[in-house]
Amino acid sequence: MASFKKLQDAIALKLYQYELTIGLYMLEPWEKTLFNLFVLLMFFLATYTAYAYLPDYTSYIIAKGQYYLSPIELGS
């Protein structure tokens, strides 16, 4: 039971630090909720974009790097 209390205190401390760092402590509860929803939406959109487009973009960059770093054949 003591480890659960320590975990609960650690989570509460991180939430407190988050509110102080971002400046959410001075907002009303509905404003905090709106801001946190916006942050979560941006996080999920960035995650989806990285998941959907990063593999293709990475293979494109690797192909371009191989093209530019490979020896050029002259006179063919």
PDB file of all heavy atoms in Angstrom, residues 70-76:
ATOM      1  N   SER A  70      26.561   7.803 -54.776  1.00  0.00           N
ATOM      2  CA  SER A  70      27.085   6.771 -55.655  1.00  0.00           C
ATOM      3  C   SER A  70      27.987   7.397 -56.724  1.00  0.00           C
ATOM      4  O   SER A  70      27.801   8.538 -57.112  1.00  0.00           O
ATOM      5  CB  SER A  70      25.940   6.017 -56.332  1.00  0.00           C
ATOM      6  OG  SER A  70      25.224   6.874 -57.183  1.00  0.00           O
ATOM      7  N   PRO A  71      28.967   6.634 -57.212  1.00  0.00           N
ATOM      8  CA  PRO A  71      29.865   7.175 -58.254  1.00  0.00           C
ATOM      9  C   PRO A  71      29.100   7.425 -59.558  1.00  0.00           C
ATOM     10  O   PRO A  71      28.220   6.660 -59.927  1.00  0.00           O
ATOM     11  CB  PRO A  71      30.923   6.086 -58.432  1.00  0.00           C
ATOM     12  CG  PRO A  71      30.438   4.897 -57.713  1.00  0.00           C
ATOM     13  CD  PRO A  71      29.333   5.312 -56.794  1.00  0.00           C
ATOM     14  N   ILE A  72      29.465   8.486 -60.221  1.00  0.00           N
ATOM     15  CA  ILE A  72      28.798   8.865 -61.469  1.00  0.00           C
ATOM     16  C   ILE A  72      29.513   8.180 -62.635  1.00  0.00           C
ATOM     17  O   ILE A  72      30.734   8.210 -62.734  1.00  0.00           O
ATOM     18  CB  ILE A  72      28.826  10.388 -61.654  1.00  0.00           C
ATOM     19  CG1 ILE A  72      28.099  11.060 -60.490  1.00  0.00           C
ATOM     20  CG2 ILE A  72      28.217  10.787 -62.980  1.00  0.00           C
ATOM     21  CD1 ILE A  72      28.222  12.560 -60.489  1.00  0.00           C
ATOM     22  N   GLU A  73      28.727   7.577 -63.511  1.00  0.00           N
ATOM     23  CA  GLU A  73      29.309   6.959 -64.695  1.00  0.00           C
ATOM     24  C   GLU A  73      29.377   8.009 -65.805  1.00  0.00           C
ATOM     25  O   GLU A  73      28.380   8.616 -66.154  1.00  0.00           O
ATOM     26  CB  GLU A  73      28.441   5.785 -65.139  1.00  0.00           C
ATOM     27  CG  GLU A  73      28.406   4.655 -64.138  1.00  0.00           C
ATOM     28  CD  GLU A  73      27.555   3.509 -64.638  1.00  0.00           C
ATOM     29  OE1 GLU A  73      27.260   3.447 -65.851  1.00  0.00           O
ATOM     30  OE2 GLU A  73      27.198   2.668 -63.807  1.00  0.00           O
ATOM     31  N   LEU A  74      30.564   8.213 -66.365  1.00  0.00           N
ATOM     32  CA  LEU A  74      30.740   9.176 -67.435  1.00  0.00           C
ATOM     33  C   LEU A  74      30.746   8.458 -68.782  1.00  0.00           C
ATOM     34  O   LEU A  74      31.313   7.381 -68.911  1.00  0.00           O
ATOM     35  CB  LEU A  74      32.056   9.930 -67.252  1.00  0.00           C
ATOM     36  CG  LEU A  74      32.151  10.802 -65.983  1.00  0.00           C
ATOM     37  CD1 LEU A  74      33.541  11.400 -65.885  1.00  0.00           C
ATOM     38  CD2 LEU A  74      31.095  11.896 -66.019  1.00  0.00           C
ATOM     39  N   GLY A  75      30.122   9.072 -69.759  1.00  0.00           N
ATOM     40  CA  GLY A  75      30.162   8.585 -71.114  1.00  0.00           C
ATOM     41  C   GLY A  75      29.292   7.363 -71.366  1.00  0.00           C
ATOM     42  O   GLY A  75      29.579   6.584 -72.277  1.00  0.00           O
ATOM     43  N   SER A  76      28.262   7.153 -70.630  1.00  0.00           N
ATOM     44  CA  SER A  76      27.442   5.980 -70.926  1.00  0.00           C
ATOM     45  C   SER A  76      26.184   6.330 -71.664  1.00  0.00           C
ATOM     46  O   SER A  76      25.813   7.283 -72.078  1.00  0.00           O
ATOM     47  CB  SER A  76      27.030   5.235 -69.656  1.00  0.00           C
ATOM     48  OG  SER A  76      26.633   6.062 -68.633  1.00  0.00           O
TER      49      SER A  76
END
